[in-house]
Amino acid sequence: MSTNASSTDPLAALGALPGVTDSVDSVRKAVDRVYGHRVMRRRSNEITSEAALRGARGSAALSGADWALEEVRRRTDFGGEPEARTVGAALRLTAEAGQLLSIWRQSPLRVLARLHLVAASGGADDTTVGRPRLAGEQVDEPLVEAALPDAAEAAGRLDGLAELIVTGSSAPALVFAAVVHGELLALRPFTSHNGLIARTAERIVLIGSGLDPKSICPAEVGHAEQGRAAYLAAFEGYLSGTPQGMVAWIAHCGRAVELGVRESTAVCEALQRGAA
């Protein structure tokens, strides 16, 4: 996370970078449109539930378990093979996200530990679950090949991120969510499930900021729709810390939210037609 902003609000300068304002405005308009859909007045809970399912499917796809939506909907057993465990972890995380909003702004590290505990349930060494990794511990995140910060650096940067979350920022919600997502993906602070946790944290920021209070704009859908190659290319921009790289990452995250909005708008239209 590298900016030239003041130490009191290090994200403020990101919101003013050329191109970021356009992304923020485009996302705001898209979100406002889906919230204004007539179906939302009567059946918002159904839209929220469907968005959660589709978001979990998208996040799992980016972590190597690219299942059809109907397969995710149909399955009840998510044990056994690695892909099933990944999908199960994504579903559990999405369900858990909404329960942690009140804690997030006061104790983000506690929330992140809880997310790892939920994701790794039944699938990891108990001594590594629910805490940041220690020196010498391996990280199971094969789809992210970026250089891994050592445990001491990761711990220090994680503390800095937590302080930023507690302090808050004047930066737009999209910018804040993109930085939280990118930093967690860069740090990979746990021994497993870091990608799923980073995308869940992005969801929590979008909900808690008030941009998407009903959680109907699943960015995970958009990240998956843009494809893993585009996701990793945009993430390289975040890792570079350059203004251009940060703009590219924020724009990618903004487009992901817009595609999530498109997905939920389609669900609204289907419900309106009585087709779903």
Side-chain angles (χ1 to χ4, degrees):
M1 190 166 50
S2 175
T3 78
N4 294 320
S6 71
S7 60
T8 56
D9 190 355
L11 301 191
L14 291 179
L17 288 173
V20 171
T21 299
D22 290 341
S23 293
V24 169
D25 289 346
S26 182
V27 166
R28 178 77 267 176
K29 289 175 184 175
V31 172
D32 285 347
R33 282 196 299 272
V34 71
Y35 270 84
H37 197 287
R38 60 185 298 180
V39 168
M40 283 295 297
R41 293 195 293 270
R42 308 186 311 275
R43 305 177 71 174
S44 64
N45 288 342
E46 293 174 69
I47 307 301
T48 297
S49 295
E50 191 64 21
L53 182 71
R54 295 176 185 227
R57 192 218 73 81
S59 192
L62 285 171
S63 287
D66 191 1
W67 287 14
L69 179 63
E70 291 311 313
E71 176 66 9
V72 178
R73 198 190 304 278
R74 181 189 68 80
R75 285 283 286 265
T76 57
D77 176 15
F78 295 98
E81 73 272 22
E83 285 195 8
R85 292 200 301 270
T86 296
V87 174
L91 289 166
R92 292 192 299 274
L93 285 171
T94 303
E96 190 77 7
Q99 311 302 315
L100 299 172
L101 293 172
S102 63
I103 307 171
W104 175 253
R105 283 293 298 273
Q106 285 73 43
S107 186
L109 295 182
R110 181 180 162 196
V111 169
L112 292 171
R114 172 63 183 170
L115 292 176
H116 188 242
L117 183 67
V118 167
S121 176
D125 183 342
D126 287 344
T127 64
T128 70
V129 171
R131 62 156 175 80
R133 58 187 166 88
L134 303 177
E137 290 182 338
Q138 299 299 307
V139 173
D140 180 16
E141 200 71 44
L143 300 182
V144 178
E145 298 176 354
L148 184 70
D150 65 34
E153 179 186 349
R157 287 171 60 180
L158 192 62
D159 284 343
L161 180 63
E163 182 179 351
L164 180 63
I165 292 166
V166 171
T167 303
S169 172
S170 63
L174 172 65
V175 173
F176 210 150
V179 167
V180 169
H181 180 171
E183 190 70 355
L184 289 173
L185 201 60
L187 297 180
R188 280 150 284 163
F190 300 102
T191 56
S192 63
H193 301 93
N194 291 288
L196 294 175
I197 290 168
R199 291 184 289 274
T200 303
E202 179 185 46
R203 170 184 283 266
I204 289 172
V205 174
L206 293 172
I207 299 168
S209 67
L211 178 64
D212 182 22
K214 293 183 182 294
S215 191
I216 61 167
C217 308
E220 305 96 325
V221 167
H223 287 305
E225 188 168 334
Q226 292 177 90
R228 178 171 169 258
Y231 181 71
L232 294 178
F235 176 54
E236 286 293 329
Y238 178 86
L239 291 173
S240 76
T242 64
Q244 297 89 343
M246 296 301 291
V247 169
W249 172 247
I250 293 166
H252 182 90
C253 292
R255 181 58 179 158
V257 175
E258 291 184 61
L259 290 169
V261 167
R262 188 176 71 178
E263 187 88 353
S264 286
T265 300
V267 174
C268 286
E269 295 293 331
L271 288 171
Q272 185 169 288
R273 294 191 307 269

